[in-house]
Amino acid sequence: MTVGTLTKRAVALAGGTLLALSPLTAQAATPTQPEPQPTLAAKGATLVDDTSGNTLFAKDADTVRPIASTAKIMAASVVLDTTGVDLERQVPVQQEYRDYVTQHGSSTADLQTGDKVTVRQLLYATLLPSGADAAYALADTFGTGATSAERTTSFISKMNTKAGELHLSKTKFTSFDGGGSDSSTPTELAELAQHAMTNDTFRAIVKTKEYKGEAPAANGRTRYYTWTNTNQLLGSYDGVIGIKTGTTTPAGDCLVFAATRNGKTLVGTVLNSADRYADAAKLLDYGFGSSTAKSMKLRALPTHAQRD
């Protein structure tokens, strides 16, 4: 065999080696494909990175829809944003608060007439069991006017004023508890939630699974209250820190939620969903790059707990 032949064989072998490696080299150089966006049951939804403000997911996110009891996020914000608010101020429970629940078939904190509960307790009672009676008490206390009707109307006006201050132009409130034609968009509801979560008291309340407290009763004895958070995502999906459920026939099942993992906080909304918790978990998985939604088991609510 001549030197020229050997040289040609060496080149051929080298070329073969290169050809054999080239598919592997090309595969390693291929960029990572982005995660596919989740398919949701919700008619409207959004997911936002709380730090950057970037929207990570949107589905009809700027379409106005009924928001049910998620409106109570604004009711709580109006109270907590009140200059010099005294959270330990005692508020006597009026019979009309209970009558309102009966008349509207609303969720309730079962506040007892004549009990004296603090503003802080009313916030827990509004946000955990979604008590319309507690929301009424807050509106009656923080609105202005000579009658309860005037005061609650004033309070609802404050809710709309606050929406304006937050530049939520598509958000409108007609009630203090979400029982009216209250409406917003997934985008604006997430922005409201981000504002509410800047308040330490609000944050502490909405991440609480169960609250136990006591209040002076009308008969001079002590009343003991237990309120369970209606948000079943809390305690079911690792990292969830709130926020609020809402359900009415026009609105369907709604959820405003937030979760933190490894220093990253995500805030989201799902409106009118046939499976709001699964939707929220899918969105959080998408935002965190995790895959825990499929194995999530929802926290069970006690038999006596409110559903909203």
Side-chain angles (χ1 to χ4, degrees), residues 203-285:
R203 268 200 324 276
I205 291 172
V206 296
K207 72 178 182 181
T208 303
K209 297 185 191 73
E210 183 181 78
Y211 171 88
K212 291 182 180 290
E214 57 186 56
N219 61 7
R221 297 182 179 178
T222 299
R223 181 89 59 194
Y224 296 93
Y225 286 104
T226 299
W227 297 312
T228 302
N229 199 322
T230 59
N231 178 10
Q232 289 178 269
L233 195 65
L234 187 69
S236 303
Y237 187 98
D238 184 42
V240 170
I241 54 174
I243 299 175
K244 185 72 187 75
T245 58
T247 305
T248 60
T249 300
D253 287 356
C254 304
L255 181 67
V256 180
F257 58 94
T260 298
R261 283 187 181 180
N262 300 319
K264 181 179 183 179
T265 298
L266 302 176
V267 177
T269 62
V270 291
L271 298 181
N272 201 337
S273 172
D275 201 349
R276 59 183 167 184
Y277 296 118
D279 280 350
K282 287 178 185 178
L283 286 173
L284 290 173
D285 269 358

Side-chain angles (χ1 to χ4, degrees), residues 93 108-112 115-131 133-134 205 208-215 223-230 299 301-302 304-306:
V93 176
T108 178
D110 198 24
L111 299 177
Q112 298 297 303
D115 286 4
K116 293 180 179 179
V117 293
T118 66
V119 171
R120 187 188 304 276
Q121 288 176 318
L122 287 175
L123 288 166
Y124 273 96
T126 298
L127 294 168
L128 267 61
S130 199
D133 46 354
I205 291 172
T208 303
K209 297 185 191 73
E210 183 181 78
Y211 171 88
K212 291 182 180 290
E214 57 186 56
R223 181 89 59 194
Y224 296 93
Y225 286 104
T226 299
W227 297 312
T228 302
N229 199 322
T230 59
R299 172 175 60 92
L301 298 180
H304 66 272
Q306 295 294 296

Side-chain angles (χ1 to χ4, degrees), residues 119-183:
V119 171
R120 187 188 304 276
Q121 288 176 318
L122 287 175
L123 288 166
Y124 273 96
T126 298
L127 294 168
L128 267 61
S130 199
D133 46 354
Y136 193 157
L138 289 174
D140 195 24
T141 301
F142 287 88
T144 57
T147 66
S148 61
E150 290 176 354
R151 290 190 291 273
T152 53
T153 299
S154 163
F155 186 81
I156 296 165
S157 178
K158 289 183 179 184
M159 292 170 68
N160 285 307
T161 297
K162 176 63 68 175
E165 291 173 356
L166 296 174
H167 307 292
L168 308 179
S169 61
K170 295 183 178 181
T171 301
K172 305 296 178 187
F173 297 99
T174 62
S175 75
F176 48 77
D177 66 332
S181 55
D182 311 87
S183 59

